[in-house]
Amino acid sequence: MATESHTGRRAQNDIRLTIADINMLKEALVAAVAALAHLAAARDVFAHYMVQGLDGRTNHAVQDVIDARDMGIAAFALNVGQPSAGWATDAISQLFKAAKANNFKLFFSLDLAQTKDAYAYSALLKDYAGHDAYYKAGPDKRPFLSTFSAQGTDANYWTSFLGSFGQTKFYFVPNFDNTPNYFDNPAKWMQDWGKAVDGAFTWETAWPRNSNTPSNVSAVQDESVLKAAHVSKKTYMMPLSTLQYKHWSGQHWYRPGEVNMPQRMTEILDMGDRADFVEILTWNDGGESHYIGTLRMEGIDKSMVEYANNDDYNHVAWQPVFASFIYAFNKNLKAGGMRPPVGKQFVGSMWYRAIKKDASCQSDAAGRPSGAGAAQDAVNWAIVAADYGLANLRLQIWSGGNLIRKVALQPGLNYGSESGLATGPQYFEVIDTANNNKIVMSGKGRVDVKAQSTGYCNFNYVVAGLN
């Protein structure tokens, strides 16, 4: 009996241990689910879209939607600064109609730098939150909502505002990186804001800090905010951009630039599946020069046209590189896993400033832009190559008639910033060294480089595609 009882107790102990193990596994599973809660959201890429006047007699809204959709962009973040202006509501109506007809999505980004009262956007949100083309996120598929800036608001303000929509619950991922603790103590920021937000979106980390010294973009601050967001069961949206150059409304400044775009792409992809969303800054902001779409001139201030236009400063040649990035992001691949669209061996672009960095800019009343010291006299390029037929192919960069770089191509993302920018034409080409250096593809900048500016001191980029 004693042995039997001991055996029975041992069996009971075994059962209790098994139950304990199961409970531990349950706890571990719950923790894992919490840690990976961000994965419940789709890994999508958006483009920040400045809502401007759109001529309804054109197909501009439709073409913007189709161009973005074909790149793999999941939605436009519609930056709305004047929610009740007739030109704005008309453009928004055109865009939603175009999005619904072309299998595309949109959501609102409230520009509080223009209209500081979030309640001024209430009617717009009520009108469109239930629209078939409105982007939804999270496990319960709630309408996505973002902002530009916080403008002194706090968590209580947003809890009240978001609660004013009754049964409509938004998935709120604002750009509040100008609020206390956001970068310095993101864990504290999440504690303070957690009741109001579903995620965090950073704007300022898309470029190096304002400086007169050349520097590279960094994801260090993104990493800290992302970690705090995921610990708090929130998502994180990273910014991706090319440059900032503004010569408008009394402001004149430059922020690199050079190979910021492919460097940032590499940083984002190196983070694996941890970044939940990416927002491209921007689709059409001519005022700050970081547009990748076609500019719609009916909605752009005339003074911007001097340095941002579709003739000399068209940026659409960047789109194939962005499309390749989006493919890799959606597939959770590193930069080496980026691939050109099906049927293409490679895609790419080249970009440069059309004046030398030390130009005096005496022809411009505003002079040289602040931050001009961070610029470099370089021809920048990015090419995404397939994984076949590259053995005998070489990229060549020509500046002012001089061959300044010759390099072999590898599968995935290749990029560089080549010093030696010279006055004159800028050209790049892919040659086949096994076939008498036959030119396979090439591209030429629309504007020649000059030592000095005539008129505007333009630090925007000339962008050429590989064709």
Side-chain angles (χ1 to χ4, degrees):
M1 289 293 293
T3 302
E4 185 177 337
S5 298
H6 176 75
T7 303
R9 285 196 298 273
R10 184 177 63 188
Q12 289 175 350
N13 287 337
D14 288 345
I15 292 172
R16 282 196 290 270
L17 286 172
T18 302
I19 292 173
D21 288 343
I22 290 172
N23 287 335
M24 288 177 63
L25 287 171
K26 284 182 178 179
E27 290 175 2
L29 181 60
V30 169
V33 169
L36 297 176
H38 64 287
L39 295 180
R43 283 174 52 78
D44 280 333
V45 178
F46 313 126
H48 201 81
Y49 187 105
M50 302 296 289
V51 172
Q52 302 164 332
L54 287 175
D55 188 342
R57 298 166 297 180
T58 71
N59 70 338
H60 290 171
V62 172
Q63 196 59 57
D64 282 348
V65 161
I66 292 174
D67 289 347
R69 180 203 65 189
D70 290 350
M71 286 174 58
I73 291 172
F76 280 147
L78 299 182
N79 183 103
V80 184
Q82 299 181 44
S84 60
W87 57 264
T89 56
D90 177 65
I92 290 166
S93 176
Q94 290 183 53
L95 287 162
F96 269 97
K97 182 179 179 180
K100 182 176 180 179
N102 291 282
N103 192 29
F104 191 66
K105 303 298 180 183
L106 309 167
F107 63 87
F108 288 120
S109 177
L110 314 183
D111 191 339
L112 300 182
Q114 293 190 59
T115 297
K116 297 176 175 57
D117 179 12
Y119 288 89
Y121 296 89
S122 295
L124 200 61
L125 293 173
K126 289 175 181 177
D127 285 345
Y128 286 101
H131 196 284
D132 290 344
Y134 202 99
Y135 182 85
K136 311 291 196 304
D140 47 357
K141 299 299 180 185
R142 287 179 280 144
F144 199 97
L145 180 63
S146 190
T147 73
F148 176 76
S149 184
Q151 288 299 321
T153 57
D154 60 16
N156 290 331
Y157 177 91
W158 288 98
T159 300
S160 176
F161 172 71
L162 295 169
S164 69
F165 294 93
Q167 294 185 346
T168 299
K169 306 299 180 184
F170 287 93
Y171 191 91
F172 190 42
V173 184
N175 160 230
F176 287 167
D177 64 7
N178 60 341
T179 55
N181 294 317
Y182 188 88
F183 289 123
D184 298 334
N185 190 349
K188 178 66 165 58
W189 189 91
M190 291 294 167
Q191 291 177 3
D192 294 340
W193 287 88
K195 66 180 182 181
V197 305
D198 296 285
F201 166 38
T202 306
W203 189 273
E204 287 300 312
T205 56
W207 313 271
R209 286 291 177 185
N210 298 78
S211 172
N212 268 310
T213 303
S215 60
N216 293 330
V217 67
S218 171
V220 171
Q221 290 182 310
D222 294 283
E223 288 274 10
S224 62
V225 180
L226 179 152
K227 179 180 178 181
H230 288 177
V231 167
S232 300
K233 303 177 187 177
K234 308 296 181 182
T235 53
Y236 185 66
M237 183 156 67
M238 288 187 72
L240 168 61
S241 193
T242 52
L243 82 153
Q244 280 190 9
Y245 173 67
K246 188 170 187 176
H247 195 324
W248 180 67
S249 189
Q251 301 181 59
H252 192 205
W253 40 259
Y254 168 77
R255 202 167 167 184
E258 314 308 346
V259 286
N260 187 74
M261 176 188 78
Q263 283 178 341
R264 186 67 169 167
M265 288 176 173
T266 301
E267 288 177 349
I268 293 172
L269 296 177
D270 280 349
M271 295 174 74
D273 64 3
R274 289 176 298 139
D276 305 287
F277 307 103
V278 170
E279 188 164 309
I280 298 168
L281 313 179
T282 60
W283 182 262
N284 65 336
D285 192 345
E288 294 194 358
S289 301
H290 41 52
Y291 51 93
I292 66 169
T294 302
L295 294 175
R296 304 306 179 189
M297 308 316 293
E298 67 265 32
I300 292 182
D301 187 283
K302 295 293 188 294
S303 62
M304 295 178 188
V305 179
E306 295 286 343
Y307 67 97
N309 56 67
N310 294 319
D311 296 326
D312 296 331
Y313 293 90
N314 192 311
H315 290 177
V316 296
W318 273 327
Q319 290 185 10
V321 180
F322 276 95
S324 301
F325 163 80
I326 294 169
Y327 167 84
F329 182 79
N330 289 339
K331 297 288 186 181
N332 192 22
L333 302 172
K334 299 294 179 66
M338 288 174 60
R339 290 295 181 270
V342 175
K344 294 185 179 293
Q345 190 176 11
F346 33 72
V347 294
S349 54
M350 169 188 75
W351 57 100
Y352 59 91
R353 276 176 302 278
I355 57 171
K356 303 298 282 295
K357 68 173 185 177
D358 293 328
S360 65
C361 297
Q362 292 180 352
S363 60
D364 190 327
R368 288 164 53 78
S370 63
Q376 301 178 61
D377 283 336
V379 179
N380 309 290
W381 60 274
I383 290 181
V384 181
D387 48 5
Y388 61 88
L390 301 178
N392 300 313
L393 299 183
R394 299 291 182 272
L395 171 69
Q396 296 191 153
I397 306 289
W398 297 82
S399 182
N402 304 312
L403 178 62
I404 62 173
R405 179 67 163 159
K406 184 175 182 178
V407 61
L409 297 174
Q410 304 296 323
L413 177 62
N414 304 259
Y415 70 90
S417 182
E418 313 305 340
S419 59
L421 179 74
T423 57
Q426 311 300 312
Y427 181 79
F428 73 144
E429 62 190 4
V430 175
I431 63 168
D432 184 352
T433 59
N435 191 15
N436 296 319
N437 290 334
K438 178 183 177 182
I439 297 174
V440 179
M441 296 185 79
S442 65
K444 182 179 183 297
R446 298 187 185 193
V447 183
D448 289 353
V449 173
K450 296 180 180 179
Q452 298 291 338
S453 62
T454 54
Y456 265 45
C457 179
N458 194 349
F459 269 52
N460 190 6
Y461 284 121
V462 178
V463 184
L466 195 61
N467 299 299

